[in-house]
Amino acid sequence: MILLLSKKTPSGYIDHLKERNYHYIVTGEDKVDMPGAIEILHNKFNVSRILTDTGRILGNHLIRLGIVSEISLLIHPLVVGEKCYPMFSDLKESTSLKLVRSQQFENGCNWVVYKI
């Protein structure tokens, strides 16, 4: 586990991480500089692939930055209606996707993977 922090991260929290020997990267002033963090992950830890299991805020931020290469979705056979969670509602522009994998499960769920 490697935590991503900004320079505004409280020193007490950083001390907490150090006491537990957690790896962390500090990049960005107010918020984490994601492209900078990814570059550090690659250079320092030889990371070439990152998987995020995220919701709308981080996922949309990474798409806007242009650093997402693939989107994996699990589609459930359920129409939620007005209480739905609008996963991509923070994005202002459309993004073209190409289906690269799909699988249907016995419970009716579909797993689809798209390349951006």
Side-chain angles (χ1 to χ4, degrees), residues 9 18 53 73 94:
T9 301
K18 287 178 182 177
D53 183 2
L73 300 170
S94 297

Side-chain angles (χ1 to χ4, degrees), residues 24-94:
Y24 62 90
I25 295 169
V26 178
T27 178
E29 296 297 323
D30 295 332
K31 296 179 180 180
V32 172
D33 170 18
M34 291 305 293
I38 290 170
E39 185 175 333
I40 293 168
L41 286 168
H42 177 71
N43 294 336
K44 187 173 180 179
F45 298 97
N46 200 29
V47 171
S48 61
R49 176 175 277 190
I50 299 170
L51 169 71
T52 62
D53 183 2
T54 182
R56 176 178 61 218
I57 296 170
L58 179 58
N60 289 338
H61 180 63
L62 297 174
I63 291 170
R64 276 193 302 276
L65 289 173
I67 56 179
V68 173
S69 60
E70 193 174 271
I71 294 176
S72 174
L73 300 170
L74 188 58
I75 302 168
H76 295 265
L78 173 69
V79 175
V80 178
E82 67 183 27
K83 294 182 181 182
C84 73
Y85 183 76
M87 185 68 189
F88 301 107
S89 64
D90 292 344
L91 296 175
K92 303 293 183 221
E93 296 180 15
S94 297

Side-chain angles (χ1 to χ4, degrees), residues 49 63 68-73 95-102 112-116:
R49 176 175 277 190
I63 291 170
V68 173
S69 60
E70 193 174 271
I71 294 176
S72 174
L73 300 170
T95 302
S96 296
L97 306 174
K98 179 182 178 188
L99 181 66
V100 294
R101 188 176 326 131
S102 67
V112 292
V113 179
Y114 294 97
K115 286 277 188 196
I116 293 186

